[in-house]
Amino acid sequence: MMIISGSAGANLIEVSTDQNWCSIANDAEPGDILELAPGDHDDSCHLRAAGTQGAPIIIRSADPEDPARLSYYGTGANTIEIRSESEHLILEGLHFPGTAGPHAIRFHDTRDITIRQNHFEKTGGVTMSANFSGKNARRLHILDNTIFDVETTAIYFGCHSGADDCQTTDVRIEGNTIYGLDSPSVGYGIQIKVDSNATIRDNAIFDTKGPGIMVYGSHDPEMTPSVIDGNLVISSRTSGGILVGGGPAIVTNNIVSDGHTYGIHIYEHNAGAPLQGVIVAHNTVFGNQGNAIHASGWSADGENVLVNNAIAPGDHSAIGANPDGLIENNVVCDLDTHCFFEPQGPPLSLTPLPDGPLANAAPAYETDWFPGVDFMGNSRDELNFAGALNVDDEDGDPWFEIGQSRPERTASDNEDDPTDEDDPTDENHQDQDDQDDDQSTDDAETDSPKPGSEDEASGCASTAGASTSPPLLMLFLLALIGALRTRRATAHRSRFIGECSARKRARSSSERRLARYRNTRCEPPPHPIP
């Protein structure tokens, strides 16, 4: 172990593969940075590291080009358990190559933890979970990670019984790529249980077995609603793309396609909160096998809103179950023509036609929930298009200006990032608790409603073992995911991909799937995607 002193008493600590990184981390002081050497670090860890707001403890790879592998393959523990003592801690740029069954990261009643720019694959259990009975995690920040080939659920926060058991609150899940999920049961991309809340923004989620995203609302009227904004959700093999099992919740600016059942499904789950205060606005929903948006159980006094969506329903109705509430300015499109430049591709373009039915169809609402920007981060001040995209680019490219980051959010759009800390060493160097709600138990994997009913449990049996090969429509979109992951980046995590976007488009579809790992280079990662 080598220690290099930095400013303000902080240390840069270099950790080799023959050292126990966990014990070194637990001895770290606020502001210390642990850099893990390339290679396999095969210890499981009960992490108790505590930084401070201005001096977090950072655990990261020494070489971003050859990231440290946290390669615990045992079955008796999770790879990392972040214990109650931990706070103001950042895990960054690490590679989790797989587990035999337990979770990759599990949170206790901890706070102010950031997991960013890590690569997770082949997790036998849940990739990240916070569902210990009696332990309430808060202010978790899950940013810019890649999660693929997971055997259960990628992100599972909160408990099935809600506040009586556990809560995970004030969570940010942003800029992640999640794909290739399977499960003996449901297989969610992101699941936020009842009485927990999160901002789920700018994620690319595709090829999941169950829902790409599901939230359950809260029984507490004072709790901040979960926000699902600006996500690309494609190809749920047995369920819908986005599910809302209770309110309040705000669902805006999402592009949802190729769901086995509904695109967006709102219903009162038996473990969720009442359907009150559910807002579904400015989404583009197309190519799903069932209704584009299915909203059931809405009462006239629930203050629910369904407005300004662009809907291409295919062979089914645009809005199912005849919900009550404020329902207006939703535009039904024909996939062949009418609304978008090239909705069937290739090349795929969901840019609204300047003179099409989406133009001037979606007036602004003077409310707190109205999205001031669109899916690409463009202001809605002047143009009033229905759907997630508010641009009338004549070239027919909704991903115009690829290679440019999204303008910084205003204070109302995005809170200051608590992880944007100065690196105190930059001048020198650029026991497991109870197992309730585990990944395969009835809490973690039994909550998806059945197609065509109000309690969607496992979809179509004939597709349960389906291949994870993405459908053709999804492949058209994959070449554009790099732009999705950069379009709303704030200044401290802006990335540029313009220099290699042309090369990505020229590759085969399988190579394009690999290319999205790199934001500024085009070579694939060292580990193949099945």
Side-chain angles (χ1 to χ4, degrees), residues 288-311:
N288 299 281
Q289 295 186 35
N291 304 134
I293 299 175
H294 189 89
S296 58
W298 282 24
S299 62
D301 60 353
E303 299 183 349
N304 299 307
V305 175
L306 182 61
V307 300
N308 293 5
N309 298 285
I311 303 170

Side-chain angles (χ1 to χ4, degrees), residues 14 42 55 102 118 126 279 341 387 440 444:
E14 298 178 349
D42 56 7
N118 301 286
V126 176
I279 312 297
F341 271 91
S440 60

Side-chain angles (χ1 to χ4, degrees), residues 136-376:
N136 299 326
R138 54 199 184 277
R139 295 189 300 277
L140 306 180
H141 308 284
I142 314 300
L143 311 175
D144 299 314
N145 302 282
T146 299
I147 303 171
F148 83 96
D149 197 14
V150 177
E151 294 181 15
T152 58
T153 287
I155 297 173
Y156 182 110
F157 288 164
C159 286
H160 190 71
S161 300
D164 292 339
D165 201 356
C166 78
Q167 294 176 281
T168 305
T169 55
D170 301 323
V171 173
R172 288 176 56 203
I173 303 172
E174 299 186 4
N176 303 283
T177 299
I178 300 172
Y179 68 100
L181 274 66
D182 211 339
S183 171
S185 185
V186 180
Y188 299 82
I190 298 170
Q191 186 178 197
I192 307 298
K193 302 298 287 190
V194 64
D195 296 331
S196 295
N197 69 339
T199 295
I200 303 169
R201 176 177 282 146
D202 299 347
N203 302 283
I205 304 172
F206 53 96
D207 192 24
T208 59
K209 182 182 177 185
I213 299 171
M214 185 166 185
V215 299
Y216 294 75
S218 173
H219 294 97
D220 179 2
E222 302 301 320
M223 178 174 282
T224 301
S226 284
V227 175
I228 303 173
D229 178 74
N231 301 282
L232 177 64
V233 182
I234 307 172
S235 186
S236 167
R237 300 195 304 278
T238 67
S239 185
I242 295 175
L243 272 61
V244 177
I250 299 172
V251 183
T252 54
N253 284 329
N254 302 284
I255 295 177
V256 184
S257 176
D258 203 32
H260 179 71
T261 57
Y262 314 119
I264 298 175
H265 187 189
I266 307 103
Y267 71 110
E268 192 166 310
H269 191 276
N270 56 16
L275 280 177
Q276 296 182 330
V278 177
I279 312 297
V280 181
H282 278 292
N283 301 282
T284 296
V285 187
F286 70 103
N288 299 281
Q289 295 186 35
N291 304 134
I293 299 175
H294 189 89
S296 58
W298 282 24
S299 62
D301 60 353
E303 299 183 349
N304 299 307
V305 175
L306 182 61
V307 300
N308 293 5
N309 298 285
I311 303 170
D315 296 331
H316 296 267
S317 59
I319 299 174
N322 299 314
D324 289 320
L326 178 61
I327 303 173
E328 60 188 19
N329 305 319
N330 300 291
V331 180
V332 179
C333 300
D334 183 334
L335 271 179
D336 294 328
T337 54
H338 299 155
C339 287
F340 312 107
F341 271 91
E342 292 290 346
Q344 307 230 55
L348 181 75
S349 172
L350 297 178
T351 298
L353 291 168
D355 299 320
L358 300 181
N360 300 312
Y365 290 79
E366 298 297 327
T367 63
D368 292 339
W369 54 257
F370 184 78
V373 297
D374 75 344
F375 179 90
M376 294 294 293

Side-chain angles (χ1 to χ4, degrees), residues 65 200 296 421 480:
E65 303 300 317
I200 303 169
S296 58
E421 308 278 1
L480 306 175

Side-chain angles (χ1 to χ4, degrees), residues 47 80-84 86 105-108 110 113 115:
L47 196 53
I80 297 177
E81 286 198 18
I82 301 182
R83 302 300 295 255
S84 303
S86 296
I105 299 176
R106 202 171 192 188
F107 301 88
H108 291 234
T110 187
I113 308 296
I115 311 296

